[in-house]
Amino acid sequence: MSAAPANIRIYLVDDHPIVRFGLSALLQMQEDFTIVGSSGSGQDALQVLARTVVDVILVDLRMQGLSGIDTLERLREYHPQVKPIVLSSFEFDEEIYSAVKAGAMGFLHKEAPPEDIMKAIRQVYAGKQAFPRRIAERLDGKRMTAGLSGREREVLELVAKGLTNKEVAATLNISQFTVRNHMNHIAEKLEVSDRTEAIFIALQTGLITLN
């Protein structure tokens, strides 16, 4: 006699109603899934979780108000029993790494096939991580954040915009010597030989973005 399927209680957090509606419609068709609710913001979700039992929560990374990362951090602090999976339309390494540090156990692209979404939920419910192979390999790489400080990223973003060391120094009100030191540290951490390669690596991995 086979055992009854698990009842995985799922909560959805995304500021796009159509995403919440679509995911709810998809997931509630599974006999081992129960959609206990959804919210358009991290703040609303945290209030609901204070009075609702949830096993797995799907959290959009980019939301108005409380960000996905902030929501994950508060989940870890106040609702550590809830297992989070992040949702995103983007795959910037820095965001994914920050989400993992904040407690995310899995990652789902919003265009992932339905079977991948359901598999990830079941894996995370079972206490396992659920990251696509391409992301798991990048998470294992040393270049994802490379330990760059906020100021180092700020310097690198300005350099990537075409500013010289002198112009960066004037913009940040620091000396050219300090800028040169930052660039040397950046090159060491990213394991590159020049600023062109540093900019390329930082843009490709999401360490910096250019508006």
Side-chain angles (χ1 to χ4, degrees), residues 155-171:
V155 167
L156 191 54
E157 283 182 354
L158 292 174
V159 170
K161 291 176 180 177
L163 275 66
T164 65
N165 283 6
K166 182 178 180 179
E167 291 168 333
V168 172
T171 301

Side-chain angles (χ1 to χ4, degrees), residues 119-173:
K119 179 181 178 182
I121 291 172
R122 293 182 178 112
Q123 280 184 263
V124 166
Y125 175 73
K128 303 174 183 177
Q129 290 190 334
F131 294 97
R133 181 184 296 275
R134 64 186 181 280
I135 290 176
E137 290 174 350
R138 281 149 56 187
L139 285 170
D140 288 337
K142 294 181 180 179
R143 281 181 172 171
M144 181 160 285
T145 61
L148 294 190
S149 68
R151 176 46 64 94
E152 286 169 346
R153 292 213 300 267
E154 193 174 18
V155 167
L156 191 54
E157 283 182 354
L158 292 174
V159 170
K161 291 176 180 177
L163 275 66
T164 65
N165 283 6
K166 182 178 180 179
E167 291 168 333
V168 172
T171 301
L172 299 179
N173 196 28

Side-chain angles (χ1 to χ4, degrees), residues 68-85:
I69 301 299
D70 290 336
T71 301
L72 290 170
E73 290 175 344
R74 298 193 186 187
L75 281 171
R76 184 173 58 185
E77 182 177 359
Y78 298 109
H79 308 285
Q81 75 284 358
V82 180
K83 299 178 174 68
I85 297 174

Side-chain angles (χ1 to χ4, degrees), residues 11 36-39 43-54:
Y11 198 88
V36 296
S38 66
S39 298
Q43 296 96 321
D44 290 345
L46 291 167
Q47 292 179 3
V48 173
L49 288 176
R51 58 180 186 274
T52 305
V53 178
V54 173

Side-chain angles (χ1 to χ4, degrees), residues 13-210:
V13 189
D14 195 292
D15 57 1
H16 293 90
I18 191 65
V19 173
R20 300 198 306 272
F21 176 81
L23 277 174
S24 294
L26 169 69
L27 298 178
Q28 66 187 4
M29 295 173 64
Q30 304 301 304
E31 62 176 331
D32 56 335
F33 291 171
T34 298
I35 306 301
V36 296
S38 66
S39 298
S41 71
Q43 296 96 321
D44 290 345
L46 291 167
Q47 292 179 3
V48 173
L49 288 176
R51 58 180 186 274
T52 305
V53 178
V54 173
D55 299 310
V56 176
I57 185 168
L58 274 60
V59 181
D60 184 16
L61 270 187
R62 298 190 177 188
M63 297 185 290
Q64 296 292 326
L66 198 66
S67 71
I69 301 299
D70 290 336
T71 301
L72 290 170
E73 290 175 344
R74 298 193 186 187
L75 281 171
R76 184 173 58 185
E77 182 177 359
Y78 298 109
H79 308 285
Q81 75 284 358
V82 180
K83 299 178 174 68
I85 297 174
V86 297
L87 292 168
S88 184
S89 298
F90 308 91
E91 289 190 11
F92 291 118
D93 285 355
E94 184 68 15
E95 281 188 322
I96 296 170
Y97 185 73
S98 295
V100 172
K101 287 198 298 183
M105 295 179 65
F107 172 90
L108 287 171
H109 194 282
K110 289 185 180 180
E111 296 182 0
E115 58 269 22
D116 289 355
I117 296 174
M118 293 180 285
K119 179 181 178 182
I121 291 172
R122 293 182 178 112
Q123 280 184 263
V124 166
Y125 175 73
K128 303 174 183 177
Q129 290 190 334
F131 294 97
R133 181 184 296 275
R134 64 186 181 280
I135 290 176
E137 290 174 350
R138 281 149 56 187
L139 285 170
D140 288 337
K142 294 181 180 179
R143 281 181 172 171
M144 181 160 285
T145 61
L148 294 190
S149 68
R151 176 46 64 94
E152 286 169 346
R153 292 213 300 267
E154 193 174 18
V155 167
L156 191 54
E157 283 182 354
L158 292 174
V159 170
K161 291 176 180 177
L163 275 66
T164 65
N165 283 6
K166 182 178 180 179
E167 291 168 333
V168 172
T171 301
L172 299 179
N173 196 28
I174 57 180
S175 70
Q176 291 185 59
F177 176 78
T178 300
V179 173
R180 188 168 67 249
N181 275 345
H182 280 314
M183 289 305 302
N184 288 338
H185 292 154
I186 290 166
E188 291 175 4
K189 292 177 179 179
L190 294 181
E191 301 176 14
V192 298
S193 58
D194 57 42
R195 64 173 59 201
T196 300
E197 190 179 1
I199 292 167
F200 176 78
I201 291 294
L203 288 171
Q204 288 293 309
T205 58
L207 281 171
I208 63 172
T209 57
L210 298 182

